[in-house]
């Protein structure tokens, strides 16, 4: 059975990439900008669930695992990580007497039917419903667009609209051009609106946070009303939300200079910022 304490097994089960990158290094490679990454940081540290989606066309090295691992550094302090065992998962961690769903992230290497070490069918559906029990999830999928992710979750895996509204962040990444080394971009970042729209009670509404503009290789960001909604959804006063976001953007701008700092230095910088704010 999978032992997440063993580095070899984490690689074998596709939980870690062989060349890990920090978010600062990902920014330095221009895969994403500091504004987008700063907003994702703020949302994740407030317990948002996460899906990282990559293209359906099999492309090795697109970066789903690297991106997911990098973003895990933004999870709330004292977060407990529960590693899923693919189709062998029995969710026994939910029956532990001292488990605290509110501070637990369930990690799944991938939701797909490609390998038994991934999750699909009823196992994947049960996993994706964990936020309904108070847990948070972080996983990756093969999907080209936000619409493809939503279709997979709602139709292939038969999640209800209520379950879909608890899934938080969905980031679609991919490769651009035909040069070597490959150039990666975060094509889009969306937040699933957690509340029912009275005019469309069965609708699942993805709110755009960041969209890559291929014309000039730039990123378009959420406007003020969306940021105001986000502050309310994660339970922050709006002025505190904007101040915290500005601090994270400034921190990432500094860390991403040159080639960007490594994972350890990134961890130390996050801890330092948390200590200052505390």
């Amino acid at each position: 059975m999978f032992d997440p304490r063993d580095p070899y097994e984490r690689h074998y089960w596709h939980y870690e990439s062989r060349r890990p990158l920090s978010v600062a290094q990902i920014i330095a490679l221009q895969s994403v900008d500091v504004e987008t990454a700063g907003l994702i940081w703020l949302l994740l540290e407030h317990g948002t669930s996460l899906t990282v989606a990559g293209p359906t066309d099999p492309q090795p090295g697109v970066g789903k695992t690297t991106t997911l691992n990098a973003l895990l550094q933004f999870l709330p302090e004292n977060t407990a990580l529960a590693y899923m065992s693919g189709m062998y998962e029995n969710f026994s961690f939910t029956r532990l007497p001292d488990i605290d769903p509110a501070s637990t992230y369930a990690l799944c290497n991938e939701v797909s039917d490609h390998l038994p070490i991934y999750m699909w069918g009823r196992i994947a559906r049960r996993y994706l419903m964990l936020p309904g029990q108070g847990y948070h999830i972080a996983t990756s999928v093969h999907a080209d667009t936000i619409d493809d992710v939503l279709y997979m979750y709602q139709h292939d895996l038969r999640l209800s609209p209520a379950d879909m509204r608890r899934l938080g962040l969905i980031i679609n990444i991919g490769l651009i051009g035909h040069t070597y080394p490959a150039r990666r971009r975060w094509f889009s970042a969306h937040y699933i609106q957690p509340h029912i729209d009275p005019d469309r009670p069965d609708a699942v509404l993805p709110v755009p946070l960041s969209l890559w503009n291929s014309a000039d290789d730039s990123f378009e960001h959420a406007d003020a009303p969306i940021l105001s909604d986000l502050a309310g959804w994660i339970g922050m006063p709006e002025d505190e939300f904007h101040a915290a976001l500005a601090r994270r953007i400034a921190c990432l701008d500094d860390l991403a200079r040159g080639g960007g700092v490594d994972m350890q230095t990134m961890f130390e910088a996050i801890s330092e910022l948390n200590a200052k704010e505390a």
Side-chain angles (χ1 to χ4, degrees), residues 72-191:
L72 292 181
Q73 289 196 308
F74 293 149
L75 299 186
E77 291 185 304
N78 302 317
T79 293
L81 300 180
Y83 286 80
M84 302 296 96
S85 299
M87 295 302 293
Y88 311 103
E89 182 58 49
N90 60 13
F91 300 96
S92 61
F93 71 95
T94 64
R95 298 187 291 275
L96 295 174
D98 57 348
I99 192 74
D100 178 10
S103 62
T104 302
Y105 266 79
L107 306 184
C108 171
N109 44 16
E110 188 170 301
V111 171
S112 78
D113 60 355
H114 295 168
L115 294 170
I117 63 172
Y118 301 150
M119 284 182 157
W120 193 245
R122 62 179 181 83
I123 299 294
R125 183 164 57 253
R126 182 175 176 184
Y127 167 74
L128 293 166
M129 292 171 64
L130 286 172
Q133 302 175 43
Y135 295 93
H136 316 278
I137 65 166
T139 188
S140 69
V141 300
H142 283 285
D144 295 309
T145 67
I146 177 65
D147 290 337
D148 294 332
V149 178
L150 298 181
Y151 186 91
M152 176 193 300
Y153 282 168
Q154 191 162 22
H155 296 280
D156 294 340
L157 295 171
R158 294 186 286 119
L159 292 180
S160 69
D163 290 322
M164 300 274 288
R165 295 188 193 104
R166 301 186 183 102
L167 295 181
L169 281 164
I170 298 177
I171 299 173
N172 279 86
I173 67 174
L175 303 178
I176 63 170
H178 302 284
T179 61
Y180 182 84
R183 292 186 296 159
R184 300 168 179 82
R185 292 294 184 273
W186 291 20
F187 293 149
S188 68
H190 289 82
Y191 194 95

Side-chain angles (χ1 to χ4, degrees), residues 23 34-49 71 73-76 105 169 191 209 227-228 230-249 252 270 273-274 277:
V23 170
V34 292
E35 290 82 7
T36 299
L39 181 57
I40 300 302
W41 177 354
L42 186 57
L43 295 174
L44 286 175
E45 74 177 10
H46 281 80
T48 298
S49 288
L71 292 175
Q73 289 196 308
F74 293 149
L75 299 186
Y105 266 79
L169 281 164
Y191 194 95
L209 307 183
L227 294 180
S228 178
L230 285 173
W233 292 340
I234 66 173
M236 288 187 75
E238 194 169 343
D239 57 342
E240 292 182 18
F241 178 92
H242 286 288
L245 176 58
R247 288 191 294 271
R248 280 147 186 79
I249 291 173
L252 288 171
I270 293 170
L273 180 59
N274 288 338
E277 290 182 334

